[in-house]
Amino acid sequence: MSRRIGDENIVSSAASSRRRNESLPQLHSVGRPEKQSVWKDLGHTIRETFFPDDPLRGFKDQPPSKKFVLGLRAVFPIFDWGRQYSLAKFKHDIIAGITIASLCIPQDIAYAKLAYLKPEYGLYSSFVPPLIYAFMGSSRDIAIGPVAVVSLLLGTLLSAVIDPDTNPVEYTQLALTATFFAGITQATLGFFRLGFLVDFLSHAATVGFMAGAAITIGLQQLKGLLGIRNFTKDTDIIAVLHSVFSQAKHGWNWQTMAIGISFLVFLLITKYIGKKNKKLFWVPAMAPLTCVILSTLIVFLTRADKQGVQIVKHIDQGINPPSLHKIFFSGPFLLKGIKIGVIAGVIALTEAVAIGRTFAAIKDYSIDGNKEMLALGTMNIVGSMTSCYVATGSFSRSAVNFMAGCQTAVSNIVMSMIVFLTLMVITPLFKFIPNAILAAIIISAVVNLVDIQAVILLWKIDKFDFIACMGAFFGVIFISVEIGILIAVCISFAKILLQVTRPRVALLGNLPGTTLYRNIQQYPAASTIPGALIVRVDSSIYFSNSNYVKDRTLRWLTDEEELNKESNLPKIQHLIIDMSPVIDIDTSGIHALEDLNKSLQKREILLLLANPGCVVMTKLHDSKFVDVVGQDNIHLTVGDAVRACNRKILEETA
């Protein structure tokens, strides 16, 4: 359909001009907002940045004793929801706790080996951290413990500094140091309410990173699954596959392969059963422990360890020993520990908050992101002092916890107590666990991290998001985990910069029979106004995009003038800028508007603004731009601006 209103709408006589002029409705002017003091404006900005949820609103007008109680509940949510705790909820929590404990015990042992730590460190990390989180966390469903991605990340980064085979003591110390500073990072972000910084790692980049990490983890487990003894320390796919196939003739152990592959198939089948029938969630949850028990019996009875099947051999009995004295607070490894801790802390935080929000949305309750960060940070700080490495929310265990019917974080306490009993009593029985089973458990656990449907959705919705996803993915599998993270962060920032520096500038037209003005690309029936060009800036105008906004607007103007000339339509006399989406403007933006106005004056075109917001209007007044463009040329709506243009045309033709 035509974008132009017919020439019959143009005024043709002075008499009709006067009649139409009298019939035009009264135009509303845009008032100047009341000027705020600098300190009040700064205070408002700080509140909206760091305290958008107004966390202190419940403390207003309360006596000191009540404020103390409220403060205690804010720091330790267990004292809040614990008041309504009942025996019925405990029954659900104890079932959920037992279920996730059966899943976490074999996973913990496997993940510790993935991080090149002794197996008991995985169990330690599912004893102390869940207890602390149960008191301080705000999520009812998240299950705390070691996870595959963070374990791989730590193993990769730590082993690049200290060889875990030649210097196991110093390696463990560096792992504890990284855990301490991971906790410091998380707690600092939560205390200073800087959680929004974590959002700079976009969902698309996270999907790609997780998928790449899952494939990298799976390839690393070929060492245990195939019984290879001399395996590369590199994580890129080329080095790993070369290490695997170069030893195919003499390095693979068929007994190990038989145990590992058969139980891996069993684990994948149980996972499929649980996915198809949600009521059978306990089948994949119990499968890892079942595999551990059966494979241990097989190795013990057949003494397969004498035939080359590698086993765990030894797990220290007893609860977490203190480890504060092992943390590097000085020396050459301190800075390395801080660097690794910050990276691991942010990745762990991103995963935990995402998991917590997912299940909170399903159950229709809210979690406090900053409280989560504080809880996670505190548990990792204390964990580093009690021989734990970085713990966070596990998606697989949290999903099982949710499906098992958990009601509160008490399920974490139940799980922790079962891990405690395991450390005190059962660990000697784990001596004959084959490494192939641990590899099979890890592979089956990370399969779900490859979210193909999410990748397809990214391709359909946003190609730039898809590029970010693929960049992170290929960075992880072809180079290294840390490079994958770096690529993910860089692409996320690049997307932000691109959107900020190149905002959309849309050409608007009138929807026939209405007073609405919409993007003509979205609404082809919308008609442009003869003698006027209407554009909308879909972003704030800052130093980073002000010149682009000015240049893009002038290009629209040039294109429309050429089109009008070819179509013998009236010359453009008015440029209307819809400022509705422009929530802020800085001095560079105002200078760009001034330059635009000067360019328009040379072309004998009048600039009009429509619906500038409170902040924008205040700055336009303070900069005297209102005096330059004229208060009469700033209107409440685009419709008002168009009527003002018509009135001027009528007056000129009268």
Side-chain angles (χ1 to χ4, degrees), residues 312-338:
V312 172
K313 293 183 180 178
H314 176 73
I315 298 180
D316 287 344
Q317 190 173 6
I319 60 172
N320 309 33
S323 57
L324 178 62
H325 61 286
K326 296 182 180 180
I327 299 174
F328 291 121
F329 290 109
S330 60
F333 297 121
L334 175 60
L335 291 179
K336 294 289 186 181
I338 294 173

mmCIF file of all heavy atoms in Angstrom, residues 312-338:
data_model
loop_
_atom_site.group_PDB
_atom_site.id
_atom_site.type_symbol
_atom_site.label_atom_id
_atom_site.label_comp_id
_atom_site.label_asym_id
_atom_site.label_seq_id
_atom_site.Cartn_x
_atom_site.Cartn_y
_atom_site.Cartn_z
ATOM 1 N N VAL A 312 40.140 -46.437 42.539
ATOM 2 C CA VAL A 312 40.360 -45.260 43.382
ATOM 3 C C VAL A 312 41.466 -45.504 44.394
ATOM 4 O O VAL A 312 42.251 -44.613 44.729
ATOM 5 C CB VAL A 312 39.038 -44.878 44.098
ATOM 6 C CG1 VAL A 312 39.289 -43.782 45.132
ATOM 7 C CG2 VAL A 312 38.014 -44.419 43.083
ATOM 8 N N LYS A 313 41.540 -46.708 44.923
ATOM 9 C CA LYS A 313 42.563 -47.183 45.870
ATOM 10 C C LYS A 313 42.349 -46.705 47.297
ATOM 11 O O LYS A 313 42.298 -47.504 48.221
ATOM 12 C CB LYS A 313 43.967 -46.789 45.410
ATOM 13 C CG LYS A 313 44.408 -47.501 44.135
ATOM 14 C CD LYS A 313 45.837 -47.117 43.769
ATOM 15 C CE LYS A 313 46.254 -47.848 42.486
ATOM 16 N NZ LYS A 313 47.622 -47.465 42.081
ATOM 17 N N HIS A 314 42.241 -45.393 47.528
ATOM 18 C CA HIS A 314 42.158 -44.947 48.925
ATOM 19 C C HIS A 314 41.408 -43.623 49.032
ATOM 20 O O HIS A 314 41.620 -42.715 48.228
ATOM 21 C CB HIS A 314 43.551 -44.777 49.522
ATOM 22 C CG HIS A 314 43.548 -44.232 50.917
ATOM 23 N ND1 HIS A 314 43.164 -44.980 52.015
ATOM 24 C CD2 HIS A 314 43.850 -42.993 51.404
ATOM 25 C CE1 HIS A 314 43.239 -44.231 53.105
ATOM 26 N NE2 HIS A 314 43.658 -43.024 52.758
ATOM 27 N N ILE A 315 40.507 -43.569 50.010
ATOM 28 C CA ILE A 315 39.830 -42.325 50.355
ATOM 29 C C ILE A 315 39.958 -42.141 51.860
ATOM 30 O O ILE A 315 39.599 -43.042 52.641
ATOM 31 C CB ILE A 315 38.337 -42.356 49.961
ATOM 32 C CG1 ILE A 315 38.187 -42.522 48.444
ATOM 33 C CG2 ILE A 315 37.636 -41.071 50.411
ATOM 34 C CD1 ILE A 315 36.751 -42.574 47.973
ATOM 35 N N ASP A 316 40.484 -41.006 52.276
ATOM 36 C CA ASP A 316 40.665 -40.746 53.708
ATOM 37 C C ASP A 316 39.331 -40.804 54.441
ATOM 38 O O ASP A 316 38.321 -40.276 53.971
ATOM 39 C CB ASP A 316 41.297 -39.366 53.924
ATOM 40 C CG ASP A 316 42.769 -39.359 53.529
ATOM 41 O OD1 ASP A 316 43.345 -40.453 53.383
ATOM 42 O OD2 ASP A 316 43.329 -38.264 53.357
ATOM 43 N N GLN A 317 39.348 -41.453 55.603
ATOM 44 C CA GLN A 317 38.148 -41.557 56.428
ATOM 45 C C GLN A 317 38.107 -40.399 57.420
ATOM 46 O O GLN A 317 39.134 -39.929 57.898
ATOM 47 C CB GLN A 317 38.138 -42.895 57.169
ATOM 48 C CG GLN A 317 36.835 -43.220 57.861
ATOM 49 C CD GLN A 317 36.846 -44.637 58.433
ATOM 50 O OE1 GLN A 317 37.861 -45.320 58.408
ATOM 51 N NE2 GLN A 317 35.710 -45.080 58.948
ATOM 52 N N GLY A 318 36.894 -39.916 57.724
ATOM 53 C CA GLY A 318 36.737 -38.824 58.683
ATOM 54 C C GLY A 318 36.254 -37.544 58.015
ATOM 55 O O GLY A 318 36.310 -37.398 56.798
ATOM 56 N N ILE A 319 35.785 -36.627 58.872
ATOM 57 C CA ILE A 319 35.228 -35.377 58.352
ATOM 58 C C ILE A 319 36.337 -34.398 57.975
ATOM 59 O O ILE A 319 37.517 -34.646 58.232
ATOM 60 C CB ILE A 319 34.264 -34.732 59.365
ATOM 61 C CG1 ILE A 319 34.996 -34.411 60.673
ATOM 62 C CG2 ILE A 319 33.068 -35.625 59.621
ATOM 63 C CD1 ILE A 319 34.158 -33.589 61.640
ATOM 64 N N ASN A 320 35.902 -33.289 57.419
ATOM 65 C CA ASN A 320 36.830 -32.288 56.866
ATOM 66 C C ASN A 320 37.871 -31.839 57.888
ATOM 67 O O ASN A 320 37.514 -31.331 58.961
ATOM 68 C CB ASN A 320 36.064 -31.052 56.405
ATOM 69 C CG ASN A 320 34.906 -31.385 55.493
ATOM 70 O OD1 ASN A 320 34.281 -32.417 55.622
ATOM 71 N ND2 ASN A 320 34.602 -30.487 54.573
ATOM 72 N N PRO A 321 39.152 -31.979 57.575
ATOM 73 C CA PRO A 321 40.182 -31.405 58.446
ATOM 74 C C PRO A 321 40.293 -29.896 58.209
ATOM 75 O O PRO A 321 40.008 -29.423 57.105
ATOM 76 C CB PRO A 321 41.456 -32.126 58.007
ATOM 77 C CG PRO A 321 41.205 -32.481 56.579
ATOM 78 C CD PRO A 321 39.728 -32.750 56.465
ATOM 79 N N PRO A 322 40.701 -29.124 59.224
ATOM 80 C CA PRO A 322 40.877 -27.676 59.011
ATOM 81 C C PRO A 322 41.996 -27.416 58.003
ATOM 82 O O PRO A 322 42.981 -28.155 57.939
ATOM 83 C CB PRO A 322 41.227 -27.159 60.410
ATOM 84 C CG PRO A 322 41.729 -28.346 61.155
ATOM 85 C CD PRO A 322 41.015 -29.532 60.597
ATOM 86 N N SER A 323 41.822 -26.335 57.217
ATOM 87 C CA SER A 323 42.802 -26.082 56.150
ATOM 88 C C SER A 323 43.159 -24.612 56.008
ATOM 89 O O SER A 323 43.727 -24.219 54.991
ATOM 90 C CB SER A 323 42.250 -26.606 54.816
ATOM 91 O OG SER A 323 41.004 -26.018 54.508
ATOM 92 N N LEU A 324 42.822 -23.798 57.018
ATOM 93 C CA LEU A 324 43.145 -22.369 56.938
ATOM 94 C C LEU A 324 44.639 -22.156 56.748
ATOM 95 O O LEU A 324 45.068 -21.268 55.997
ATOM 96 C CB LEU A 324 42.648 -21.649 58.190
ATOM 97 C CG LEU A 324 42.963 -20.148 58.274
ATOM 98 C CD1 LEU A 324 42.306 -19.393 57.129
ATOM 99 C CD2 LEU A 324 42.486 -19.576 59.615
ATOM 100 N N HIS A 325 45.443 -22.980 57.418
ATOM 101 C CA HIS A 325 46.897 -22.826 57.345
ATOM 102 C C HIS A 325 47.463 -23.208 55.978
ATOM 103 O O HIS A 325 48.622 -22.910 55.670
ATOM 104 C CB HIS A 325 47.564 -23.695 58.414
ATOM 105 C CG HIS A 325 47.291 -25.170 58.260
ATOM 106 N ND1 HIS A 325 46.074 -25.734 58.577
ATOM 107 C CD2 HIS A 325 48.078 -26.182 57.793
ATOM 108 C CE1 HIS A 325 46.112 -27.045 58.329
ATOM 109 N NE2 HIS A 325 47.309 -27.331 57.854
ATOM 110 N N LYS A 326 46.654 -23.860 55.147
ATOM 111 C CA LYS A 326 47.122 -24.281 53.828
ATOM 112 C C LYS A 326 46.904 -23.219 52.748
ATOM 113 O O LYS A 326 47.442 -23.331 51.652
ATOM 114 C CB LYS A 326 46.418 -25.575 53.406
ATOM 115 C CG LYS A 326 46.736 -26.777 54.291
ATOM 116 C CD LYS A 326 46.021 -28.023 53.770
ATOM 117 C CE LYS A 326 46.333 -29.236 54.644
ATOM 118 N NZ LYS A 326 45.635 -30.453 54.142
ATOM 119 N N ILE A 327 46.103 -22.209 53.048
ATOM 120 C CA ILE A 327 45.791 -21.181 52.056
ATOM 121 C C ILE A 327 46.986 -20.244 51.886
ATOM 122 O O ILE A 327 47.593 -19.810 52.870
ATOM 123 C CB ILE A 327 44.540 -20.386 52.477
ATOM 124 C CG1 ILE A 327 43.331 -21.325 52.568
ATOM 125 C CG2 ILE A 327 44.249 -19.260 51.491
ATOM 126 C CD1 ILE A 327 42.079 -20.664 53.107
ATOM 127 N N PHE A 328 47.320 -19.916 50.638
ATOM 128 C CA PHE A 328 48.415 -18.991 50.355
ATOM 129 C C PHE A 328 47.928 -17.552 50.575
ATOM 130 O O PHE A 328 47.164 -17.024 49.775
ATOM 131 C CB PHE A 328 48.895 -19.140 48.911
ATOM 132 C CG PHE A 328 49.604 -20.434 48.622
ATOM 133 C CD1 PHE A 328 49.123 -21.298 47.647
ATOM 134 C CD2 PHE A 328 50.758 -20.784 49.307
ATOM 135 C CE1 PHE A 328 49.770 -22.488 47.358
ATOM 136 C CE2 PHE A 328 51.417 -21.979 49.030
ATOM 137 C CZ PHE A 328 50.919 -22.832 48.060
ATOM 138 N N PHE A 329 48.385 -16.931 51.651
ATOM 139 C CA PHE A 329 48.095 -15.513 51.876
ATOM 140 C C PHE A 329 49.287 -14.636 51.503
ATOM 141 O O PHE A 329 49.242 -13.413 51.637
ATOM 142 C CB PHE A 329 47.699 -15.267 53.330
ATOM 143 C CG PHE A 329 46.348 -15.831 53.678
ATOM 144 C CD1 PHE A 329 46.246 -16.940 54.503
ATOM 145 C CD2 PHE A 329 45.185 -15.267 53.163
ATOM 146 C CE1 PHE A 329 44.999 -17.470 54.824
ATOM 147 C CE2 PHE A 329 43.944 -15.788 53.474
ATOM 148 C CZ PHE A 329 43.846 -16.901 54.303
ATOM 149 N N SER A 330 50.339 -15.259 51.048
ATOM 150 C CA SER A 330 51.532 -14.548 50.571
ATOM 151 C C SER A 330 52.308 -15.508 49.679
ATOM 152 O O SER A 330 51.947 -16.679 49.542
ATOM 153 C CB SER A 330 52.400 -14.079 51.755
ATOM 154 O OG SER A 330 52.828 -15.206 52.520
ATOM 155 N N GLY A 331 53.376 -15.005 49.078
ATOM 156 C CA GLY A 331 54.205 -15.862 48.253
ATOM 157 C C GLY A 331 53.861 -15.768 46.779
ATOM 158 O O GLY A 331 52.947 -15.041 46.364
ATOM 159 N N PRO A 332 54.561 -16.536 45.954
ATOM 160 C CA PRO A 332 54.422 -16.409 44.494
ATOM 161 C C PRO A 332 53.080 -16.911 43.947
ATOM 162 O O PRO A 332 52.706 -16.563 42.825
ATOM 163 C CB PRO A 332 55.572 -17.277 43.961
ATOM 164 C CG PRO A 332 55.848 -18.273 45.064
ATOM 165 C CD PRO A 332 55.584 -17.538 46.338
ATOM 166 N N PHE A 333 52.376 -17.739 44.705
ATOM 167 C CA PHE A 333 51.120 -18.308 44.196
ATOM 168 C C PHE A 333 49.883 -17.513 44.608
ATOM 169 O O PHE A 333 48.767 -17.875 44.223
ATOM 170 C CB PHE A 333 50.968 -19.751 44.677
ATOM 171 C CG PHE A 333 52.030 -20.682 44.164
ATOM 172 C CD1 PHE A 333 52.850 -21.382 45.039
ATOM 173 C CD2 PHE A 333 52.233 -20.842 42.796
ATOM 174 C CE1 PHE A 333 53.833 -22.233 44.573
ATOM 175 C CE2 PHE A 333 53.219 -21.693 42.314
ATOM 176 C CZ PHE A 333 54.027 -22.389 43.206
ATOM 177 N N LEU A 334 50.066 -16.458 45.385
ATOM 178 C CA LEU A 334 48.911 -15.691 45.867
ATOM 179 C C LEU A 334 48.132 -15.065 44.704
ATOM 180 O O LEU A 334 46.905 -15.228 44.610
ATOM 181 C CB LEU A 334 49.371 -14.604 46.841
ATOM 182 C CG LEU A 334 48.273 -13.638 47.323
ATOM 183 C CD1 LEU A 334 47.163 -14.398 48.043
ATOM 184 C CD2 LEU A 334 48.862 -12.554 48.227
ATOM 185 N N LEU A 335 48.827 -14.352 43.828
ATOM 186 C CA LEU A 335 48.142 -13.678 42.717
ATOM 187 C C LEU A 335 47.487 -14.679 41.772
ATOM 188 O O LEU A 335 46.396 -14.429 41.244
ATOM 189 C CB LEU A 335 49.118 -12.785 41.955
ATOM 190 C CG LEU A 335 49.620 -11.549 42.717
ATOM 191 C CD1 LEU A 335 50.613 -10.762 41.863
ATOM 192 C CD2 LEU A 335 48.449 -10.656 43.117
ATOM 193 N N LYS A 336 48.154 -15.820 41.558
ATOM 194 C CA LYS A 336 47.563 -16.865 40.719
ATOM 195 C C LYS A 336 46.271 -17.387 41.349
ATOM 196 O O LYS A 336 45.268 -17.613 40.663
ATOM 197 C CB LYS A 336 48.555 -18.018 40.535
ATOM 198 C CG LYS A 336 49.795 -17.655 39.738
ATOM 199 C CD LYS A 336 49.469 -17.448 38.262
ATOM 200 C CE LYS A 336 50.736 -17.233 37.450
ATOM 201 N NZ LYS A 336 50.441 -17.003 36.013
ATOM 202 N N GLY A 337 46.312 -17.569 42.673
ATOM 203 C CA GLY A 337 45.125 -18.045 43.377
ATOM 204 C C GLY A 337 43.980 -17.052 43.303
ATOM 205 O O GLY A 337 42.815 -17.444 43.139
ATOM 206 N N ILE A 338 44.298 -15.754 43.398
ATOM 207 C CA ILE A 338 43.258 -14.717 43.298
ATOM 208 C C ILE A 338 42.632 -14.732 41.906
ATOM 209 O O ILE A 338 41.405 -14.705 41.762
ATOM 210 C CB ILE A 338 43.855 -13.329 43.610
ATOM 211 C CG1 ILE A 338 44.290 -13.252 45.078
ATOM 212 C CG2 ILE A 338 42.842 -12.226 43.303
ATOM 213 C CD1 ILE A 338 45.032 -11.974 45.431
#
